């Protein structure tokens, strides 16, 4: 108890956030288990804040009520004043948290309805009363929402008790919850809501629900009063009055963002007045200041007896996830942090403890009694059940017994019948036995005679067998003898036939021999004729051969003669060839001589030219030397002047030295954003940072931005580095520079613009162009990265060749820190669609993709973020119709880069890559690249496996809506 309780609630990402968050990374990260909230300040640093409770986007209305408002409602029911307030940018869910009626869905009911439900349930409407007023504060005028004709209601303050009241406001006695919901609805209908650019439902007015409770005090109190007063007091029963305020504050955003114009500027001033003075009061309360400026505005006057002091107070601050509203989110969080420091002095009475104990015990007793009751009822019903079952058993037993008796009777009857049957059968059996013995005797006789017959038959058969055997033997022998006789006869017949055939054959042979002898003598005559003829022919042929030989010898002689003639002729031609060859060589030598002479002449001419040139150069050198000495003289004069000036202002000089030494000390830290180690002795890092910020702000005020920027061009590289760091800090700390008042914050964000206006950007770019110092390059690119977060600066950076310079810096270094800054800067530039073409032409994309060579995961993360930015902006431009054709990323092979790096371990890098692929897939002109590079498979994987549902859905949508992808996938399945 005692401190103002502050909870923070994050609104879930809405459609607008999803559409316009090219950056994609939320600007806050919740750690509900630690009750902490991390606020991302820029691409690579964040700060952590602790709250009493941290609600994520999924927190239920019921839990929010129970944690934030229920303790306040309970204390109001016990007689203390209490307040529940919601603070935050328009559209972050203040009204959702407080004022939601939940008519259709009871789970959506907000704090107002739930608080009244609790109050109505806890008071007895017979003896107590609950009344409400519903007001709106708009342009420092209070209007009654239950009677809208009443405007400009005045606030009364009781000078003694300090109690605040609004006598002119309507108060309505609440009968039940439905009645209250009706009243709220009427009030809401009357609420004036200016139409802002951010949210058409949003409101710039403060809505205030006041609930007055009057409860009669229990009798016991009268015991303490002495007997004289007793009579009068018992006639006037004691009451306890308390008040609950539920305040839905106006949006905390800067009004120029919501597009205010004309009359609305006046309105802006008044709204700022009430919120600003609330901020001031909170600061004063947080610092325990003796003076709390509650009189400055109507809002703070209304809250006088309900906020801080003796009331119990809960504040819920609402924020959105989008980085677009980083400044508003930051100021909201700082407001909440300050409010957490406010301590209330709520005094607890003893009765309160006793009552609560009593209530607890009572509920316990109630609980136990109910339990006993329930048990008893249970036992009774069990007993009844058992009895019923017993009865049922009894009945069924009787029935079965009856059945058994009838069955045994039946069986007995059957038995007697069977006995009679058996006796009859026995008599018949005896009769049959007698007949049987008679038959047996007869059979014995017949068997005897049968045996005799068999013996006689056996003897007969042996005699017959012997007879048959002897006859068979004789028959066989006769047959054999017959066969032998026939064989002999056949042999004599065949011998006669052979003799006849031999006689015939010898006759034929004799005839054949005579015929052959005649033919032989004929052939011998023919042979003698032919031999004679051949011998004549041979003698003729030998004669012809001899003639040929003599002719051949003549020809040979002629050939030898011809050869001799040919040799003579060849000897005479050789001499002529040699002379022509020599002449040719001579001509060649002559030509060579001429060309060398020519060369010599041209060399001489060249030599002359060079001598002339040398003379000209030495003349120029002399002129430059003269100029140099003049410059030297001028520099000395300026130095002299400087010394004079320093002498003239000794105080200022000391000041300057202080600042210089501070800067050196302050900037020795490692981070660009200055989480330096100074002031370590004096406390926490946060203190250090805010002190540092304050000092930097002071330096800025006193030295003047112009001068710091001039230091950037100093010859001393140390000074240069420090100046850059100061500028880098100013660029990063845009709106958080003054921790004084949230409202003051609105006017203190000029740093970025001033840095740019005063030529800081040009100075930073010059350093990238000409410096070789690694630290300068790193810090300058960090400062540019920070400046590049602002859309206006992005255009300036690009138009001054920033992308080329960043690309050059990236190619010239291997320092991972520098590469990270450069990648961050380029990634920020990717978020501006208008600059895409220029960024690509200046080699920005190539440079980003090339930086992966460093292998540093932070660099890869920045590059992935940049590509996601680029692809997202591009696809948005396509949807809006001012871009067409294949993505600019394709030519630089970004698709291949994305596929190569999509297996990274960093979840956020992977998310960016997946997002980039999904967006690139939206462009139908990229479809061919997707199929040829294998990105289509990656997209399918993303649609199934991405860790984020929205990306999965996006990828699925792209796959489904693109006919080329559909065709390809069908092919793949076949
Ligand atoms: P404010 O009152 O701060 O201007 P609203 O309460 O009107 O903001 O909320 C803006 C929109 O956001 C409304 O449509 C609301 O329904 C929605 N919204 C706000 N907070 C949540 C939440 N926690 N859960 C779901 N929707 C919310
Ligand atoms: Mg609202």
């Amino acid at each position: 108890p005692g401190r103002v309780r502050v909870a923070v609630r994050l609104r879930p990402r809405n459609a607008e956030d999803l559409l316009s968050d090219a950056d994609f990374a939320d600007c806050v990260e919740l750690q509900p288990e630690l009750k902490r909230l991390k606020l991302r300040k820029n691409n690579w640093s964040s700060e952590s804040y602790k709250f009493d409770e941290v609600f994520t986007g999924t927190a239920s209305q019921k839990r929010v009520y129970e944690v934030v408002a229920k303790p306040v409602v309970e204390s109001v029911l016990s007689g203390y004043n209490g307040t529940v307030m919601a603070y935050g940018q328009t559209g972050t869910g203040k009204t959702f948290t407080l004022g939601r009626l939940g008519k259709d869905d009871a789970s959506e009911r907000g704090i107002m309805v739930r608080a009244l439900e609790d109050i109505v349930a806890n008071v007895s409407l017979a003896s107590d009363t609950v009344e409400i007023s519903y007001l709106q504060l708009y342009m420092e005028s209070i209007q009654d929402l239950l009677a809208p004709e009443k405007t400009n209601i005045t606030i009364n303050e009781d000078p003694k008790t300090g109690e605040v009241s609004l006598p002119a406001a309507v108060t309505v006695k609440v009968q039940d919850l439905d009645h209250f919901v009706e009243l709220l609805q009427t009030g809401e209908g009357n609420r004036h809501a200016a139409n802002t650019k951010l949210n058409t439902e949003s409101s710039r007015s403060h809505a205030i629900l006041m609930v007055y409770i009057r409860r009669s005090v229990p009798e016991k109190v009268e015991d303490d009063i002495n007997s004289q007063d007793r009579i009068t007091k018992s006639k006037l029963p004691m009451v306890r009055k308390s008040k609950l305020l539920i305040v839905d504050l106006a949006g905390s955003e800067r009004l120029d963002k919501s597009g205010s114009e004309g009359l609305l500027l006046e309105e802006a001033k008044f709204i700022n007045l009430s919120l600003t003075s609330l901020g001031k009061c909170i600061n004063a309360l947080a610092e325990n200041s003796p003076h709390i400026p509650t009189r400055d505005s109507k809002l703070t006057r209304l809250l006088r007896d309900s906020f801080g002091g003796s009331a119990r107070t809960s504040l819920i601050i609402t924020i959105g996830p989008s980085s677009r509203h980083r400044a508003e989110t930051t100021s909201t969080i700082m407001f909440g942090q300050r409010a957490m420091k406010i301590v209330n002095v709520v005094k607890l009475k003893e009765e309160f403890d006793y009552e609560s104990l009593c209530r607890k015990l009572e509920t316990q007793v109630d609980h136990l009694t109910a339990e006993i009751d329930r048990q008893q009822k249970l036992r009774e019903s069990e007993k009844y059940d058992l009895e019923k079952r017993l009865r049922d058993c009894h009945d069924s037993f009787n029935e079965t017994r009856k059945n058994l008796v009838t069955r045994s009777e039946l069986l007995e009857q059957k038995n007697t019948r069977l006995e009679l049957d058996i006796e009859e059968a026995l008599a018949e059996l005896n009769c049959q036995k007698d007949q049987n013995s008679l038959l047996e005797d007869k059979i014995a006789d017949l068997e005897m005679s049968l045996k005799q017959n068999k013996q006689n038959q056996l003897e007969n058969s042996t005699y017959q067998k012997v007879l048959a055997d002897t006859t068979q033997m004789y028959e066989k022998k006769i047959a054999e003898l017959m066969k032998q006789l026939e064989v002999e006869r056949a042999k004599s017949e065949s011998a006669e036939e052979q003799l006849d055939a031999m006689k015939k054959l010898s006759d034929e042979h004799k005839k054949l021999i005579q015929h052959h002898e005649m033919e032989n003598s004929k052939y011998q005559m023919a042979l003698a004729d032919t031999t004679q003829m051949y011998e004549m022919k041979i003698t003729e042929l030998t004669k012809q051969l001899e003639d040929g030989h003599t002719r051949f010898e003549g020809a040979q002689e002629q050939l030898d003669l011809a050869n001799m003639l040919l040799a003579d002729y060849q000897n005479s031609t050789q001499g002529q060839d040699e002379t022509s060859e020599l002449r040719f060589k001579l001509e060649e030598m002559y030509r060579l001589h001429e060309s060398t002479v020519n060369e010599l002449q041209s060399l001489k001419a060249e030599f002359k030219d060079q001598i002339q040139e040398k003379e000209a150069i030495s003349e120029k050198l002399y002129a430059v030397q003269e100029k140099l000495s003049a410059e030297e003289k001028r520099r000395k004069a300026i130095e002299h002047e400087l010394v004079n000036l320093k002498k003239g202002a000794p105080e200022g000089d000391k000041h300057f030295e202080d600042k210089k030494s501070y800067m050196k000390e302050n900037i020795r830290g490692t981070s660009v954003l200055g989480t330096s180690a100074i002031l370590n002795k004096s406390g926490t890092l946060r203190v250090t940072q805010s002190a540092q910020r304050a000092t930097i702000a002071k330096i800025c005020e006193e030295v003047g931005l112009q001068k710091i920027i001039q230091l950037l061009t100093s010859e001393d590289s140390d000074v240069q580095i420090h100046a850059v760091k100061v500028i880098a800090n100013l660029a990063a700390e845009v709106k958080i520079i003054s921790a004084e008042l949230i409202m003051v914050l609105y006017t203190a964000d000029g740093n970025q613009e001033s840095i740019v206006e005063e030529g800081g950007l040009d100075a930073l770019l010059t350093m990238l162009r000409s410096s070789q110092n690694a630290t300068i390059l790193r810090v300058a690119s960090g400062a540019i990265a920070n400046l590049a977060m602002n859309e206006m600066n992005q255009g300036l950076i690009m138009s001054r060749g920033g992308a080329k310079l960043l690309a050059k810096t990236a190619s010239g270094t291997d320092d991972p820190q520098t590469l990270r800054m450069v990648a961050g800067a380029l990634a920020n530039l990717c978020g501006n669609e208008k600059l895409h073409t220029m960024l690509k032409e200046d080699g920005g994309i190539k440079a980003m993709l090339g930086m992966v060579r460093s292998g540093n995961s932070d660099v890869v993360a920045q590059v992935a973020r940049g590509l996601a930015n680029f692809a997202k902006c591009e696809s948005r431009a396509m949807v809006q119709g001012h871009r067409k054709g294949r993505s600019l990323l394709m030519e630089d092979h970004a698709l291949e880069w994305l596929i190569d790096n999509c297996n990274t371990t960093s979840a956020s890098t992977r998310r960016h890559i997946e997002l980039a692929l999904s967006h690139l897939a939206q462009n139908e002109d990229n479809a061919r690249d997707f199929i040829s590079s294998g990105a289509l498979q990656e997209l399918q994987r993303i649609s199934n496996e991405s860790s984020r549902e929205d990306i999965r859905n996006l990828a699925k949508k792209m796959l489904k809506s693109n006919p080329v992808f559909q065709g390809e996938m069908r092919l793949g399945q076949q």
Side-chain angles (χ1 to χ4, degrees), residues 606-620:
E606 227 173 88
F607 182 60
K608 257 186 210 165
D609 282 353
Q610 275 181 353
I611 285 174
Q612 275 176 356
E613 219 173 283
K614 193 186 147 197
E615 272 168 11
I617 287 171
S618 58
E619 262 174 32
K620 265 188 207 165

Side-chain angles (χ1 to χ4, degrees), residues 94-95 202-203 248:
K94 296 184 296 297
T95 309
S202 74
S203 159
D248 184 357

Side-chain angles (χ1 to χ4, degrees), residues 2 9 67 123 259 268 499 511 575 589 653 669 755 765 882 889 949:
R9 185 181 199 182
V67 174
V123 299
L499 198 67
K511 271 179 198 167
M589 291 287 275
D653 190 35
I755 290 170
L765 291 173
H882 46 79
L889 290 176
E949 196 190 346

Side-chain angles (χ1 to χ4, degrees), residues 279-293:
K280 280 181 186 164
C281 288
I282 283 180
N283 278 347
L285 284 163
E287 284 163 11
N288 256 330
S289 154
H291 174 65
I292 313 295

Side-chain angles (χ1 to χ4, degrees), residues 234-393:
S234 59
K235 274 180 193 166
L236 289 169
M238 288 284 288
V239 287
R240 196 179 280 164
K241 287 200 270 181
S242 57
K243 184 163 71 169
L244 169 67
L245 253 66
I246 301 181
V247 187
D248 184 357
L249 290 169
S252 66
E253 65 277 0
R254 289 186 56 177
L255 286 148
D256 60 352
K257 210 169 193 178
S258 52
S260 55
E261 283 157 10
L263 187 136
L264 295 181
L265 275 175
E266 193 63 16
E267 177 190 352
K269 224 167 67 192
F270 277 114
I271 291 172
N272 268 351
L273 182 66
S274 264
L275 267 186
T276 309
S277 85
L278 176 64
K280 280 181 186 164
C281 288
I282 283 180
N283 278 347
L285 284 163
E287 284 163 11
N288 256 330
S289 154
H291 174 65
I292 313 295
T294 49
R295 315 213 114 264
D296 289 1
S297 78
K298 292 243 164 102
L299 179 65
T300 45
R301 280 175 66 198
L302 259 181
L303 290 171
R304 214 176 104 103
D305 62 347
S306 307
F307 194 86
S310 62
R312 189 182 285 273
T313 308
S314 266
L315 173 67
I316 181 156
I317 62 170
T318 57
I319 56 175
S322 170
S323 310
R324 281 172 302 147
H325 306 304
R326 180 184 277 109
E328 283 74 19
T329 305
T330 307
S331 82
T332 303
I333 288 168
M334 298 318 288
F335 182 92
Q337 286 287 300
R338 284 191 291 277
M340 275 185 80
K341 292 191 191 137
I342 301 173
V343 178
N344 295 349
V345 266
V346 181
K347 280 179 197 147
L348 295 173
K349 293 180 191 166
E350 276 182 335
E351 293 97 309
F352 174 71
D353 267 338
Y354 172 73
E355 271 177 21
S356 86
L357 182 69
C358 185
R359 255 207 312 274
K360 243 187 237 165
L361 286 173
E362 265 173 15
T363 50
Q364 250 173 11
V365 169
D366 281 351
H367 181 73
L368 288 172
T369 331
E371 187 62 19
I372 289 168
D373 223 32
R374 236 195 330 272
Q375 296 267 339
Q376 215 159 10
K377 262 195 191 150
L378 210 77
R379 228 164 290 139
E380 270 170 19
S381 77
E382 265 173 17
K383 196 177 149 196
Y384 177 77
D385 271 2
L386 283 173
E387 275 174 2
K388 201 179 159 198
R389 268 162 65 185
L390 194 72
R391 246 179 284 132
D392 286 353
C393 283

